């Protein structure tokens, strides 16, 4: 903070006064020594001569000192900062006043604003002094603008320019300035047709200590690091995550989380228009149940509880409770000690469940149309954000068809076989083979998005409904983006006797899931649904390469902070 | 399920065939005994006479038996059920076919549908046989209709009527029928101007075992139990919660959770229109921090983690990360061993945080307008659901003013003093005094909703910004509905040095909150926000009396199921 201390306490301004005080004693001392001589006996001629000479000398010195003092005082008067009110550090905002004066957003500026005086809050990304001016690169989320602090009579003082050059990167400032057309379009900021001529600039908040890495390093396109002669500091993912708040300020991250919020909004809007309601199921569970995925144990008063691995049971129970069509957006916990690019111990589940009137493809249709609504929404409403991310993480735009490709399990295996990989009929696909199938499908059909239907019953959970004619298959499906699974779903078993039988066949003790089974004993309609990993959709749509980049504060077996 | 077995295996239908088989051997046995006599010596006259008499008798008996068999066969032919295809139990739905035939919702029926044949799925709430017909009370969520199964030549057989009378309550049926005008408007169903004349009825799913309590008992207005001569079974809240799936089917519960979903939708819509984005902060935390509220401990691989008591820290960090305006809807965990009507160990938090430009009243304005948007939305778009709930939980409609009443802390205390309760200036309000203040405010200002601003600093957390002029007060507020707090919020301390000082003053070790403090060291703007308990808003708007009624699957220290 010392660099940005307010003008009132700056050493430069106190200098003239100090100089004046320092010279005054010299004059007084000379006068004293003269009077001391006068108190002694009558001096000799030579002595008189010498004294006269000395007096003359002292007089001249005194005159010179006085003149110097006068000059310095005049200089000091000239230096009084006429712009002192126009810059400095604001007192800590404790809501002292409310003027209601409008503050603008860079994103909304147009040529019509040229010549207007505007007020805004922004981050100082860099402050670059150059001869008699300072260039400021100012940022508002993923928008940026250039501002000039330029000495100007009666408006911007030399001191103000000097001070502006000392503003620490990432400080937050309040700026008043005039919009003007730059000499040539500015390439380094998102606003290229307007620059701000600063009239007033005050610091709202600043940085305490050093920044963990440079903003430029954090924002640089990934591909640049791969060049052999790369001279840049690569900011490792772990370093970023350790300093996540600062890392999140890059335009890329601002765009990623705007897109993440867009995905949830588009998800909700589509489903609500289709009659779904938002539910909130408990994450604290009495028993560790459901699937093979490991579960976190919680100390619960004198007993224990477990964190829900998904809202699967609760959302099915909501269907048995007649809510017809439900969705939930919430945290999902997986105690898997895994460090892949696509696993976290906590992620955001987008889940839905609905009554089936006749056929589980009703569910597949809803899921498919919902995802298409997301993809189209991102394409049309978030093109800028997607482009911002692609500058740092370049990738081919996400391709999808008007009518989504739906492959049966057998067709999927046939495509893999054509591609040279022959697999057993009833085993699950490995991550590698999923990716290979994704590549083959892309080559053959030109899509990054498709549905694989009718998985073998053996690779799905006990609550999955078997196929009506061949019980080796099931009414279940996965959806893929860029060769990775983003959604898994199925028609569920709604008959309690059959469900009990399936549990027993799959080694699940029906007694351990009494509350769930009871829901079907009071009569449940045929139903199905699916669960989507929000961060996976974001990671794969933008091809971020690691799911942690799509999570604001990611959690894995080694990371619980920040 | 036995009561509803399909007609093909019903004992009644096999009876004729069995009778025919049983009579045939009698005839044959008679013939055999006659031929045995013929093989013996020549009989006497008397014997001949006796034998002739016997033969005559046998012949008559045989003729009679034959005639009876013939009659029975004719009768059986007449009994062949011409309507067998029109009723029964459907095979387990495994998505055998997809006709795409439209199924209607009761809620959409109008007089224009009279005379039309419609297809729909519904719950059988009751099935009441009456002479030659059966009255069905059919339900779709909070809508219901009356259906008649009435014997009709070539359409509805006697057997079909009989079978319809045996359908178990809460079975799910697929019905085809004709809309007709009832003799007089039906009072017991929500659709009063139309009844369904059933043509086909099939069971999709049924009930296994007894229902835990009767639907009527579960739906009865609470006030009826208070009458001295009440003869009803009161279903206790604990019984309901133990059998929550069935309990949730009452029109009241269907309406409560429709309203709950409406609150979240109105919350989101308002905030998104104001530039807020949806974030998802981790519930797994590395340290047990923040406030005095107890925290749940989780086994986390070889170490431990804690469940977030609120997204407070994360949402503030999102502000320091430049997201400007964020909201989150998610679970909040409180390890408080408390059994009041308004505490749960897990509830749904509606949280928001935003940058303050000048004054924290900017936040109060957003929160206030957001809540008004919810109240107005419920009033205009969910009047039916609110009315449905009020039938079981009667209450005065929720009152709020066009311009919300905002009281300062001192004004609040003054009103309490007028009401006879004088309180110390800097102590928090007890639940009792909050309620009293709510009553006094309602009397004086005619509102169930108001804001209390400028709480004493001593009763708020360390991160609360003190008032600019009097540090004994703070820039913090609570919002109240019907005298109970539903929202708590404040301007936060954004300066890291001051935040550290406040932590120390409040006995919080700054080292234990390094990640949080670091967020402010890289520069954070002034900001504020608030947190709302979703279930409290629903409970108080509808005056449900217990927060568990506003939670689909509530959790308290003794309840982790279902």
């Amino acid at each position: 903070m010392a660099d940005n201390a307010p003008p009132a306490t700056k050493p430069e301004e106190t200098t003239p006064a100090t100089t004046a005080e320092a010279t005054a004693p010299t004059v007084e001392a000379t006068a004293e020594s003269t009077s001391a001589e006068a108190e002694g006996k009558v001096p000799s001629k030579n002595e008189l001569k010498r004294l006269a000479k000395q007096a003359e000398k002292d007089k001249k010195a005194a005159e010179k000192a006085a003149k110097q003092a006068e000059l310095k005082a005049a200089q000091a008067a000239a230096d009084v900062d006429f712009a002192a009110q126009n810059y400095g550090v604001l007192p800590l905002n404790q809501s002292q006043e409310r003027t209601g004066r409008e503050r603008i957003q860079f994103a909304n500026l147009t040529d019509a604003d040229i010549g207007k005086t505007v007020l805004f809050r922004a981050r100082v990304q860099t402050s670059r002094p150059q001869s008699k001016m300072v260039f400021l690169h100012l940022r508002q989320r993923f928008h940026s603008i250039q501002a000039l602090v330029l000495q100007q009579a009666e408006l911007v003082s030399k001191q103000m320019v000097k001070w502006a050059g000392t503003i620490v990167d990432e400080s937050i400032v309040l700026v008043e300035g005039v919009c003007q057309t730059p000499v040539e379009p500015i390439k380094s900021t998102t606003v290229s047709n307007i620059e701000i001529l600063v009239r007033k600039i005050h610091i709202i908040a600043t940085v305490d200590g050093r920044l963990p890495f440079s903003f430029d390093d954090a924002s640089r396109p990934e591909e640049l690091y791969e060049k052999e002669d790369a001279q840049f500091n690569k900011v490792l993912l772990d370093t970023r995550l350790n300093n996540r708040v600062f890392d999140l300020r890059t335009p890329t991250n601002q765009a990623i989380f705007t897109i993440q919020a867009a995905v949830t909004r588009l998800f909700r809007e589509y489903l609500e228009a289709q009659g779904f309601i938002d539910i909130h199921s408990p994450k604290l569970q009495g028993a560790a149940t459901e699937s093979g995925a490991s579960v976190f144990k919680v100390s619960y008063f004198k007993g224990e509880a477990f964190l829900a691995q998904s809202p699967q049971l609760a959302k099915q129970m909501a269907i048995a409770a007649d809510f017809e069509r439900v969705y939930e957006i919430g945290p999902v916990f997986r105690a898997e000690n895994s460090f892949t690019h696509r696993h976290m111990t906590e992620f955001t589940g987008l889940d839905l469940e609905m009554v089936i009137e006749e056929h589980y493809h009703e569910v597949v249709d809803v899921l498919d149309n919902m995802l298409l609504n997301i993809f189209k929404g991102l394409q049309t409403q978030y093109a800028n954000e997607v482009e911002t991310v692609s500058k740092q993480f370049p990738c081919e735009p996400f391709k999808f068809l008007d009518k989504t490709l739906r492959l049966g399990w057998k067709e999927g295996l046939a495509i893999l076989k054509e591609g040279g990989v022959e697999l057993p009929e009833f085993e699950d696909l490995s991550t590698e083979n999923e990716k290979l199938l994704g590549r083959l499908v892309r080559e053959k059909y030109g899509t990054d998005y498709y549905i694989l239907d009718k998985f073998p019953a053996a690779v799905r959970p006990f609550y999955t409904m078997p196929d009506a004619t061949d019980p080796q298959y099931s009414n279940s499906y996965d959806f893929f983006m860029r060769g990775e699974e983003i959604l898994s779903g199925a028609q569920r078993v709604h008959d309690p006797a059959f469900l009990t039988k399936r549990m027993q066949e799959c080694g699940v003790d029906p007694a351990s899931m009494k509350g769930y089974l009871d829901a079907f004993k009071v009569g449940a309609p045929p139903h199905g649904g699916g669960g989507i990993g929000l961060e996976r959709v974001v990671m794969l749509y933008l091809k971020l390469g690691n799911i942690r980049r799509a999570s604001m504060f990611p959690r894995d077996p080694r990371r619980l902070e920040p």
Side-chain angles (χ1 to χ4, degrees), chain A:
Chain A
M1 259 223 208
D3 286 350
N4 296 306
T9 61
K10 287 193 87 162
E12 291 93 319
E13 288 167 63
T14 54
T15 309
T18 314
T19 313
E21 276 170 43
T23 48
T26 317
V27 180
E28 277 173 49
T30 310
E32 265 174 54
S33 74
T34 307
S35 80
E37 299 285 336
E39 276 168 31
K41 61 177 169 40
V42 179
S44 70
K45 219 174 189 175
N46 275 351
E47 253 188 339
L48 277 172
K49 228 178 196 169
R50 194 184 54 79
L51 280 170
K53 219 172 182 174
Q54 180 64 37
E56 185 66 11
K57 205 176 169 184
D58 286 350
K59 193 185 161 196
K60 278 187 181 160
E63 278 169 5
K64 195 180 170 189
K67 200 164 189 179
Q68 272 179 345
E70 203 177 301
L71 269 170
K72 284 197 182 169
Q75 176 82 40
D79 269 2
V80 161
D81 189 355
F82 57 83
Q85 296 302 310
N86 296 344
Y87 66 100
V89 178
L90 293 175
L92 179 72
N93 180 317
Q94 292 185 266
S95 301
Q96 287 85 345
E97 63 165 2
R98 190 176 188 188
T99 69
R101 201 177 146 197
E102 193 201 353
R103 297 184 178 187
I104 60 105
Q105 291 291 310
F106 303 158
N108 298 333
L109 287 176
T110 66
D111 283 336
D113 295 304
I114 300 286
K116 284 186 192 163
T117 299
V118 293
L119 180 73
F120 58 85
R121 172 178 47 83
R123 288 261 177 208
V124 176
Q125 188 162 319
T126 56
S127 158
R128 194 159 45 84
Q130 216 172 63
S131 65
K132 290 193 169 174
M133 63 171 99
V134 171
F135 289 92
L136 299 171
H137 182 111
L138 301 178
R139 198 177 74 235
Q140 286 178 337
R141 304 199 62 206
F142 29 70
H143 304 287
S144 54
I145 204 163
Q146 178 170 284
L148 291 173
V149 188
L150 184 69
Q151 202 173 328
Q152 253 189 302
E154 286 170 36
L155 287 170
V156 177
S157 65
K158 194 174 67 181
Q159 293 95 325
M160 179 168 163
V161 175
K162 191 179 171 193
W163 179 86
T166 67
I167 299 174
V168 174
D169 291 356
E170 292 300 303
S171 296
I172 301 169
V173 289
L174 183 65
V175 174
E176 189 180 305
V178 180
C179 298
Q180 64 181 25
T181 306
V183 182
E184 53 184 53
I186 301 160
K187 287 179 189 159
S188 57
T189 52
T190 62
V191 178
S192 61
N193 58 333
I194 296 174
E195 65 181 6
I196 304 292
L197 191 63
V198 174
R199 293 285 185 244
K200 295 182 182 174
I201 179 165
H202 289 90
I203 290 177
I204 295 170
T206 186
V207 172
D208 179 3
R210 278 171 60 91
L211 293 171
F213 39 81
S214 92
F215 200 85
D216 280 352
D217 285 342
S219 311
R220 196 164 283 126
E222 290 288 295
E223 55 183 0
L224 290 185
Y225 299 120
E226 275 138 44
K227 292 191 177 162
E228 275 195 24
D229 57 348
Q231 297 281 317
F232 311 114
N233 285 319
K234 175 161 181 165
V235 187
L236 298 176
L237 183 57
D238 239 33
T239 309
R240 289 178 185 274
L241 297 179
N242 289 339
N243 299 280
R244 188 58 162 165
V245 168
F246 177 55
D247 179 50
L248 286 170
R249 291 184 195 155
T250 62
T252 301
N253 278 329
Q254 291 291 315
I256 288 172
F257 292 96
T258 303
I259 290 166
Q260 192 196 66
V263 170
T264 60
R265 183 176 63 74
L266 293 162
F267 174 83
R268 287 188 256 107
E269 282 179 1
Y270 182 80
L271 294 180
E272 289 180 0
Q274 300 291 316
F276 283 77
I277 67 164
D278 188 13
I279 63 165
H280 305 282
S281 68
K283 306 309 157 204
L284 292 167
Q285 298 286 343
T289 50
E290 197 183 336
S291 71
S294 313
V295 61
F296 288 114
K297 196 161 85 180
V298 181
S299 297
Y300 198 76
F301 303 100
K302 285 173 184 167
E304 57 188 28
F306 301 89
L307 291 180
Q309 296 153 278
S310 85
Q312 182 64 33
L313 309 185
K315 69 182 180 170
Q316 286 192 256
M317 288 158 83
I319 295 299
D322 283 356
F323 287 102
E324 294 278 320
R325 297 183 150 205
V326 298
Y327 77 87
E328 177 160 5
I329 299 179
V332 162
F333 304 94
R334 302 278 164 93
E336 286 166 358
N337 202 358
S338 132
F339 293 91
T340 76
H341 75 286
R342 62 175 193 172
H343 286 94
M344 294 191 290
T345 50
E346 178 176 351
F347 64 88
T348 308
L350 305 182
D351 269 88
L352 68 84
E353 200 73 18
M354 60 183 264
V355 171
I356 290 171
E357 296 293 354
E358 296 189 302
H359 197 286
Y360 76 98
H361 283 173
E362 295 159 21
V363 187
V364 175
D365 289 349
V366 168
L367 289 166
D368 183 22
N369 288 328
M370 179 271 291
L371 280 166
L372 289 175
N373 184 59
I374 290 175
F375 301 152
K376 287 174 190 164
L378 293 181
Q379 216 175 36
T380 56
Q381 301 164 44
Y382 294 86
N384 285 342
E385 286 81 355
V386 172
E387 203 205 320
T388 299
V389 177
S390 75
K391 284 179 190 156
Q392 187 162 2
F393 296 97
C395 73
E396 283 189 65
F398 185 76
K399 286 171 84 173
F400 58 96
L401 306 173
D402 285 338
K403 191 175 169 339
T404 302
L405 175 68
R406 298 185 185 190
L407 295 174
W409 178 258
K410 290 172 186 173
E411 289 171 278
L413 291 194
I415 291 171
L416 279 169
K417 194 175 170 185
E418 275 173 42
V421 175
E422 196 166 351
L423 295 177
E425 208 178 336
F426 299 114
E427 280 178 24
D428 212 351
L429 295 179
S430 67
T431 307
E432 269 326 293
N433 286 328
E434 274 183 10
K435 284 190 178 172
L436 173 61
L437 183 55
R439 282 195 298 277
L440 295 168
V441 163
R442 193 177 207 273
E443 279 166 26
K444 193 165 177 174
Y445 300 96
T447 180
D448 285 316
Y449 163 64
Y450 75 99
I451 299 169
L452 191 58
D453 194 14
K454 300 230 78 81
F455 273 64
V459 305
R460 308 298 275 203
F462 68 83
Y463 49 74
T464 308
M465 183 64 86
D467 178 75
T469 53
D470 184 348
Q472 292 189 100
Y473 289 95
S474 66
N475 294 345
S476 69
Y477 37 80
D478 278 5
F479 287 39
F480 293 87
M481 285 173 69
R482 300 195 199 263
E484 296 192 44
E485 179 253 310
I486 50 132
L487 181 155
S488 201
Q491 179 179 357
R492 328 294 184 180
V493 176
H494 60 278
D495 180 81
F498 189 40
L499 189 60
T500 305
K501 182 169 164 275
R502 289 292 299 140
M503 282 180 174
Q504 284 159 342
E505 285 168 1
C506 294
V508 174
D509 177 12
S512 73
M513 302 190 78
K514 188 180 173 297
Y516 176 68
L517 262 174
D518 282 350
F520 301 98
K521 287 186 177 167
V522 287
H527 62 285
I532 301 176
L534 170 63
E535 294 84 355
R536 280 204 190 170
V537 172
V538 173
M539 167 181 78
L540 293 165
Y541 189 90
L542 299 170
K543 215 174 176 186
L544 301 178
N546 193 307
I547 199 157
R548 290 161 184 80
R549 292 200 178 95
S551 173
M552 198 170 268
F553 300 107
R555 295 292 184 254
D556 68 30
R558 278 198 290 260
R559 179 172 294 284
L560 277 167
E561 293 282 352

